Amino acid sequence: MPLALIVCAALGLAMADDWKPVPGRIMTRWAAQVRPEAPLPEHPRPQLVREKWRSLNGLWDYAIRPPATPPNDAYDGKILVPYPVESALSGVGRAVGPGDLLVYRRTFDLPKGWEDDRTLLHFGAVDWEARVLLNGREVGRHTGGYDPFTFDLTPFLTSGPQTIEVRVTDPTDTGYQPRGKQTLRPQGIFYTAVTGIWQTVWLESVPKEAHLTALKPVADLDAKVLRLRPIAEGLRPGDVLEATLLEGKAVVAEAKGAPFSELVLAVKEPKLWSPDHPFLYDLNVRVLRGGKTLDEVKSYAAMRSVGLAKDDQGVPRLTLNGNPIFHLGPLDQGWWPDGLYTAPTDEALRFDVEVTRRMGFNMARKHVKVEPARWYYHCDRLGLMVWQDMPSGWEAHVPTGGADSLRYHHSDAFRANYAAELRAMVDALFPFPSIVMWVPYNEGWGQAETKPIAAWLKAYDPSRTVDSCSGWDDHGVGDVHDVHVYPGPGMPPVSASRAAVLGEFGGLGFPVRGHLWKDDGNWGYQTFATAADLEARYREILERLLLLKGKGLSAGIYTQTTDVEVETNGLLTYDRAVEKMPAATLKAINERLYGPAPTLTYVVPTSEAEPQTWRYTINEPPAGWETLDFRDAAWKSGPGVIGSEGTPGANVRTPWTTDRVWLRREFTLAAKPAADLRLYVHHDEDADVYLNGVRIASLKGYTTDYIAVPLPPDALAAFRTRRNVLAAHVRNTRGGQCFDAGFVRIVAK
């Protein structure tokens, strides 16, 4: 065996002796592939690649100390970077309190051939405040748990081994900073805190004179050009920026420009990016001085546009490349049982994107978290559109979901920090064409100054749409009106200027033994005992979603991709080992949403638009009350919908606030209906429904909109020509309450 291989093998064995995952937690299959000598070895910034780089991932010294403790050489042990200290894959698995200091240390040798260049130190993300030292001297500080940052190490380098030290503090949910769903007390929809380094740490060699730091490409399909804004340091008058767009080895377009100018690359016959055809062009960019290349990076770009347009009914719809497209995808939390915020391997990171596409989804909503750049790279390559949330943060004195600052006061420090971290996120993620929507707020969590924030986002990045707040507190701004309905589905009213979207629905729970974070205390918004029951319910709500598309709905986001800690409403188990419903089955169900929506033909109208008269009583009637011949003259009458004000999806015109009600409604038919009739009903809660004395439905729970319920065979025989009676007994236990019903025929296009 060659000496180099013997040395590498020995080094790997030595590192393996210093590290092992924390036992007692469920793990993904990729955890076994983690190599302590080279975890996550892939280039961490695929949108801006140079040849001269080196990963610093691996085993570092670590210590958890009180902040006032003077630094020394006493460390607690080894930690595997970049896995969070609380995670199993870090090899530590310890909590870090808001009063603790987490210290990292390692040494490295400057690679040969880097001596005449600048050496940059990159962090993909560190949560939350990081102070970085090299050889005992402070290099810089950074706050923000989700954005990449860079320090120039060149002035701090010495001869021989270089020693990096990173000192981190993180207030988690005792502070005001964005933190997503992290908490020091995990429960329900909030999960284990993440502290410190959680994305790749790496070195890069760049030219001393000038170098590129970022690329901002924007496709202009109307003009058939790609507009590129290169950002660089060290440029001088007379320098030239040069960009080449390629398809394979063939040059598609070239452009040159002065420093800080926009480069315009003409693409005569653009190949458009879409979920079905996620075509990416290669992009090379150079900095030239006096005809000599100072710096060169490799990147990629896509030709695609997103926006809004009205359909033939005047309803605003989301568009991709000028064409309406229904957005259907999961709420993607991006948590891992073994790595928490950090996927164990790049293959694991890619898997979540691949399986989402295999299930027939065309998008994902990245929920109050920002992923490493490679996740978006995989979305770009595999054709998964992304709605990108800003991670939520809020102050202790402001209630969770406290909505906009019009109601609750947020401090100036909170607002300034939020704005800074929001801009940093947008800047970092700008190059990725898969991102089609920015979502600055979720359900009022830390929501402050919604209108100016939405306006700023749209002005700063007009190439994407803006969802000003997903769920709860809508301020009438942004490109969409977003509601959350569990289990749903439901939708907001159709607007003349904004698309109607369902930002969260579903949450159907199915705990799979042997694949749980905890054996007890798990939950879903609606939990099922068998996979068959889960699939039947999923089919039902997706059929209802298809009907809402016909009413004007433009997007539906199902909760969620995987189980997360005690939440068991994932399409996959937390360890990604079990598909609760086969991907092929989900694909067949989901892809119906991309075709034409069916139309509803009313055979017996409901009170949804025009009130229909119901007779009702809150006193239990005698037997036979549901039959055609029963005399209900003593009952009260009123226009539908019967219910309580504020019940979701119910246009209540007649109040009902007791725990039970009996209803009757007469209608006439010229002829008996055909076999494809459905009961079209909105109920909250349980309801037994009768037609001419025959029970045709027993409905459990509640709905948030009208649903089409298939009729049993004997129901069709119960219809009569001329006079008929539709009757219902409805029961309510808590919350909203309502009932209304009619009959429809669903006509597929």
Side-chain angles (χ1 to χ4, degrees):
M1 180 183 291
L3 179 61
L5 292 180
I6 294 174
V7 172
C8 288
L11 180 62
L13 289 173
M15 287 189 171
D17 290 339
D18 290 335
W19 170 84
K20 62 180 179 180
V22 178
R25 304 185 188 181
I26 63 170
M27 309 290 278
T28 67
R29 60 183 178 272
W30 298 282
Q33 300 171 14
V34 173
R35 296 183 298 129
E37 71 275 16
L40 293 166
E42 295 80 9
H43 195 292
R45 194 184 59 194
Q47 74 277 25
L48 195 76
V49 177
R50 292 183 181 89
E51 292 182 359
K52 295 169 72 172
W53 75 283
R54 177 187 168 187
S55 173
L56 293 182
N57 291 346
L59 289 172
W60 294 44
D61 299 319
Y62 89 95
I64 300 173
R65 297 283 186 269
T69 303
N72 55 50
D73 291 332
Y75 283 80
D76 297 349
K78 297 291 185 179
I79 183 171
L80 188 60
V81 169
Y83 304 104
V85 65
E86 295 90 348
S87 72
L89 288 178
S90 72
V92 178
R94 290 173 58 185
V96 178
D100 292 331
L101 177 69
L102 172 61
V103 183
Y104 299 81
R105 184 185 68 177
R106 71 156 290 167
T107 61
F108 71 91
D109 292 316
L110 193 69
K112 290 183 179 180
W114 287 29
E115 297 85 358
D116 296 330
D117 295 330
R118 292 194 176 277
T119 299
L120 304 183
L121 174 63
H122 299 282
F123 293 87
V126 180
D127 195 4
W128 178 72
E129 182 173 12
R131 182 185 175 204
V132 179
L133 298 92
L134 184 69
N135 302 321
R137 299 166 62 194
E138 182 172 316
V139 173
R141 301 186 184 205
H142 177 268
T143 57
Y146 299 93
D147 57 292
F149 59 97
T150 300
F151 296 124
D152 186 350
L153 299 185
T154 311
F156 305 91
L157 295 171
T158 60
S159 60
Q162 315 292 325
T163 301
I164 297 176
E165 186 177 302
V166 183
R167 302 176 184 177
V168 180
T169 57
D170 182 11
T172 312
D173 50 356
T174 66
Y176 57 68
Q177 81 291 346
R179 55 190 175 271
K181 288 195 169 185
Q182 299 180 58
T183 180
L184 296 170
R185 297 166 295 280
Q187 58 181 322
I189 64 170
F190 295 97
Y191 319 131
T192 303
V194 169
T195 303
I197 298 170
W198 67 274
Q199 291 187 30
T200 290
V201 185
W202 55 293
L203 299 171
E204 186 180 35
S205 179
V206 301
K208 278 190 175 180
E209 298 89 346
H211 67 277
L212 293 154
T213 59
L215 302 175
K216 289 194 171 184
V218 175
D220 184 341
L221 299 190
D222 292 335
K224 292 187 177 181
V225 299
L226 180 73
R227 304 185 187 278
L228 177 66
R229 185 156 64 92
I231 301 172
E233 291 184 3
L235 294 180
R236 299 177 183 173
D239 288 350
V240 175
L241 299 172
E242 180 182 82
T244 305
L245 196 68
L246 302 105
E247 182 180 346
K249 294 183 179 181
V251 174
V252 175
E254 294 179 297
K256 294 182 180 181
F260 314 112
S261 65
E262 178 183 82
L263 305 184
V264 180
L265 296 117
V267 187
K268 294 180 180 179
E269 297 180 358
K271 292 187 175 181
L272 305 185
W273 185 95
S274 70
D276 292 335
H277 302 284
F279 184 82
L280 299 173
Y281 292 95
D282 290 327
L283 177 63
N284 295 339
V285 184
R286 298 194 298 163
V287 177
L288 297 97
R289 178 172 296 168
K292 175 187 174 183
T293 298
L294 292 183
D295 190 25
E296 182 172 7
V297 298
K298 296 185 182 300
S299 185
Y300 65 91
M303 297 294 288
R304 69 102 181 93
S305 68
V306 300
L308 293 180
K310 291 185 177 181
D311 63 15
D312 55 4
Q313 302 298 311
V315 175
R317 300 284 186 176
L318 295 171
T319 63
L320 178 67
N321 302 327
N323 299 312
I325 182 170
F326 190 86
H327 290 217
L328 179 66
L331 193 74
D332 194 297
Q333 310 260 22
W335 286 74
W336 300 84
D338 39 23
L340 299 178
Y341 257 19
T342 309
T345 66
D346 188 65
E347 180 185 342
L349 194 68
R350 185 177 70 247
F351 170 82
D352 275 8
V353 181
E354 290 174 335
V355 76
T356 301
R357 294 294 288 128
R358 285 204 308 270
M359 289 175 173
F361 296 110
N362 64 7
M363 59 81 64
R365 179 181 164 208
K366 180 52 62 177
H367 191 38
V368 294
K369 185 199 176 191
V370 178
E371 291 290 356
R374 292 192 65 85
W375 185 83
Y376 303 96
Y377 168 64
H378 295 315
C379 292
D380 292 343
R381 290 190 312 107
L382 298 171
L384 187 70
M385 297 185 294
V386 177
W387 292 19
Q388 179 61 52
D389 284 14
M390 173 64 187
S392 303
W394 53 92
E395 295 173 285
H397 70 278
V398 179
T400 301
D404 196 276
S405 57
L406 293 173
R407 301 183 189 180
Y408 298 99
H409 175 70
H410 296 271
S411 69
D412 292 341
F414 166 88
R415 297 186 196 190
N417 182 76
Y418 171 85
E421 292 201 40
L422 174 64
R423 178 168 182 159
M425 179 191 76
V426 173
D427 284 340
L429 301 184
F430 193 97
F432 299 107
S434 55
I435 299 176
V436 298
M437 182 94 72
W438 298 119
V439 186
Y441 297 112
N442 175 72
E443 292 186 345
W445 300 356
Q447 189 174 354
E449 301 183 320
T450 308
K451 291 182 179 180
I453 287 291
W456 174 84
L457 262 176
K458 194 66 178 179
Y460 194 65
D461 181 12
S463 70
R464 293 177 171 97
T465 49
V466 173
D467 181 352
S468 63
C469 183
S470 186
W472 295 15
D473 200 52
D474 180 64
H475 284 247
V477 294
D479 294 300
V480 301
H481 183 182
D482 184 328
V483 297
H484 295 176
V485 182
Y486 283 106
M491 65 178 288
V494 172
S495 161
S497 59
R498 297 190 296 163
V501 303
L502 178 58
E504 294 180 27
F505 78 103
L508 306 181
F510 177 46
V512 181
R513 294 294 171 189
H515 301 275
L516 297 172
W517 181 254
K518 293 182 178 179
D519 290 333
D520 301 310
N522 300 292
W523 71 281
Y525 288 92
Q526 186 177 7
T527 300
F528 298 86
T530 69
D533 290 342
L534 174 69
E535 181 182 321
R537 181 70 168 125
Y538 186 85
R539 286 182 182 276
E540 176 190 339
I541 65 173
L542 265 289
E543 180 178 9
R544 289 161 54 185
L545 193 71
L546 183 59
L547 295 178
L548 294 180
K549 177 185 176 182
K551 289 183 173 183
L553 187 69
S554 284
I557 296 170
Y558 178 84
T559 301
Q560 56 192 354
T561 309
T562 72
D563 295 348
V564 183
E565 300 201 350
V566 297
E567 285 188 61
T568 58
N569 45 29
L571 296 165
L572 302 169
T573 53
Y574 197 12
D575 58 7
R576 277 75 166 170
V578 179
E579 294 178 356
K580 298 183 185 181
M581 294 173 278
T585 298
L586 286 170
K587 180 180 175 70
I589 297 170
N590 292 339
E591 288 190 339
R592 293 183 61 201
L593 271 294
Y594 307 133
T599 58
L600 294 180
T601 301
Y602 286 90
V603 176
V604 177
T606 66
S607 301
E608 185 176 14
E610 297 294 331
Q612 309 296 320
T613 300
W614 288 89
R615 302 192 74 85
Y616 65 97
T617 181
I618 58 173
N619 300 312
E620 184 169 358
W625 65 271
E626 73 280 15
T627 62
L628 187 64
D629 297 329
F630 180 79
R631 295 186 178 183
D632 58 14
W635 289 21
K636 295 181 179 180
S637 69
V641 175
I642 308 288
S644 64
E645 215 43 65
T647 300
N651 188 3
V652 173
R653 298 182 180 90
T654 298
W656 161 51
T657 57
T658 60
D659 61 346
R660 297 188 299 171
V661 68
W662 290 259
L663 306 101
R664 289 169 54 91
R665 173 187 166 194
E666 290 193 11
F667 62 91
T668 59
L669 293 174
K672 284 191 174 184
D676 58 352
L677 210 62
R678 304 279 189 100
L679 176 68
Y680 199 53
V681 59
H682 189 354
H683 66 94
D684 188 347
E685 296 170 15
D686 299 352
D688 292 318
V689 186
Y690 302 85
L691 175 65
N692 298 326
V694 176
R695 186 162 64 182
I696 60 173
S698 289
L699 308 171
K700 300 298 182 182
Y702 65 90
T703 62
T704 54
D705 204 336
Y706 288 81
I707 64 172
V709 179
L711 296 175
D714 56 347
L716 293 172
F719 280 100
R720 298 188 179 188
T721 55
R722 299 186 181 178
R723 182 170 172 263
N724 293 267
V725 167
L726 179 62
H729 175 208
V730 189
R731 299 166 294 282
N732 183 65
T733 58
R734 60 190 176 89
Q737 55 193 96
C738 72
F739 185 83
D740 188 44
F743 294 98
V744 298
R745 183 173 293 113
I746 299 176
V747 181
K749 290 185 180 179

